[in-house]
Amino acid sequence: MDNFHLIEQGSANIPWQDKPEGLTGSPLWRYQDNPVIKRNPLDGVARIFNSAVIPYEGAFIGVFRGEQINGIPYIYLGRSKDGINWDFDGEKIHFEDEDGNPFMPKYAYDPRLVKVEDTYYIIWCQDFYGASIGLAKTRDFKKFVRAENPFLPFNRNAVLFPRKVNGKFMMLSRPSDSGHTPFGDIFLSESPDLVYWGKHRHVMGKTDEWWENVKIGGGAAPIETSEGWLLIYHGVTGTCNGYVYSIGGAILDIDQPSVVKYRCENFLLTPEEWYEERGFVPNVTFPCAALQDKETNRLAIYYGAADSYVGLAFAYADELVDYIKNHSVVRESDQELGKR
Ligand code: BMA
């Protein structure tokens, strides 16, 4: 694609494995040595999955959903030189309130990690009288200060944009119920200060494509490109044996991200490998982060697999955007501003 480019530099040393010869269809391919995080990854934690990573001080740092051996999920910090082999802190992240007092959520899962200006934000799902969104900030990955909960219950799958848009913080989320929500569209909210959120807009809903006909939810932080915001998200279908979570892709308007410019009618990745099909919850591929390298257009996508493992998939950003555009079906509700 002529003139296509990523906007942010990213990092030249992101994990990578060359595209397999003869790859057809979706332009995503899996890391051959998946899963990169296996079961019982640290003492007291049975599984790590649905986790997010970011470049930090020439290496990588991440926030990981660690399912403890009592079944309760919390967020653990991990560090890696290569984005593949991870060292985890033995203790879960200790959050505090703005006065420095301990302020732990009752549980915390599906964290995203996004840098906006000079601060790193963790966004996750937690109990706020039901499933809702938690938000914390850190500058040094030592002190983690929780902010006000951005949204009313019930809500899941929130992820910040990596920069302000029109001077405002922007967050995607998926209003839901407190259980295994059988519905759900992606919405956008904006804030001047990360405390007060408003100007809510509908971004996109489930479709009648069979792989995303029950609900959808945000995944990795949107990636800024010359074509718009590249959104890698999850779409869910229901079967006689339960939900199946696939990875989808869309491109949002750069200045009005509630407007969907292109949306891929096909999934980009669906459970096919043993570590995606078999696990604590079978048939789940759940993206939470993507690393990028502007020079080479490389993307490394981290996804949770079967609520048991972390997998890596790769793509060239230009090929991915091309594929989304070439297989795009946008409905009326996608193209609207999302205000009714
Ligand atoms: C969703 C979330 C995810 C999980 C998925 C499949 O509701 O809880 O954390 O990966 O279900 O179990």
Side-chain angles (χ1 to χ4, degrees), residues 102-234:
F103 189 30
M104 288 299 277
K106 286 172 89 172
Y107 58 77
Y109 63 79
D110 298 355
R112 314 302 206 271
L113 177 60
V114 185
K115 186 180 185 200
V116 188
E117 294 164 3
D118 57 358
T119 304
Y120 296 86
Y121 296 94
I122 307 174
I123 311 105
W124 68 91
C125 183
Q126 63 170 24
D127 173 67
F128 175 45
Y129 302 90
S132 198
I133 304 302
L135 174 66
K137 31 190 161 181
T138 182
R139 291 213 171 145
D140 55 9
F141 290 96
K142 291 185 185 122
K143 185 178 153 98
F144 298 87
V145 179
R146 278 178 65 190
E148 291 287 334
N149 296 327
F151 304 132
L152 294 167
F154 307 105
N155 203 319
R156 283 204 185 85
N157 298 306
V159 60
L160 267 178
F161 281 63
R163 70 163 169 86
K164 292 178 182 166
V165 178
N166 306 317
K168 302 287 186 332
F169 291 99
M170 294 275 167
M171 186 127 79
L172 297 174
S173 75
R174 209 276 308 288
S176 61
D177 63 18
S178 207
H180 300 294
T181 313
F183 62 90
D185 295 356
I186 299 178
F187 286 79
L188 176 73
S189 307
E190 67 172 61
S191 172
D193 53 9
L194 289 165
V195 175
Y196 296 100
W197 291 89
K199 295 203 175 169
H200 310 291
R201 302 282 183 264
H202 182 268
V203 179
M204 55 194 225
K206 66 177 185 177
T207 67
D208 47 17
E209 308 297 350
W210 282 25
W211 64 273
E212 56 168 359
N213 60 2
V214 171
K215 57 179 170 175
I216 59 171
I223 298 166
E224 192 171 7
T225 80
S226 51
E227 289 284 313
W229 294 102
L230 169 59
L231 178 65
I232 296 167
Y233 67 99
H234 71 258

Side-chain angles (χ1 to χ4, degrees), residues 28 204 211-212 216-217 219-220 230-235 245-250 263-270 285 287 301 320 324:
L28 253 63
M204 55 194 225
W211 64 273
E212 56 168 359
I216 59 171
L230 169 59
L231 178 65
I232 296 167
Y233 67 99
H234 71 258
Y245 283 69
S246 304
I247 301 179
R263 179 170 180 182
C264 192
E265 62 175 328
N266 305 328
F267 55 73
L268 301 174
L269 190 140
T270 200
T285 53
I301 298 159
L320 178 53
I324 293 172

Side-chain angles (χ1 to χ4, degrees), residues 292-307:
Q292 64 172 72
D293 174 33
K294 182 176 176 179
E295 297 318 318
T296 57
N297 268 330
R298 290 175 175 180
L299 298 178
I301 298 159
Y302 289 79
Y303 64 99
D307 286 12

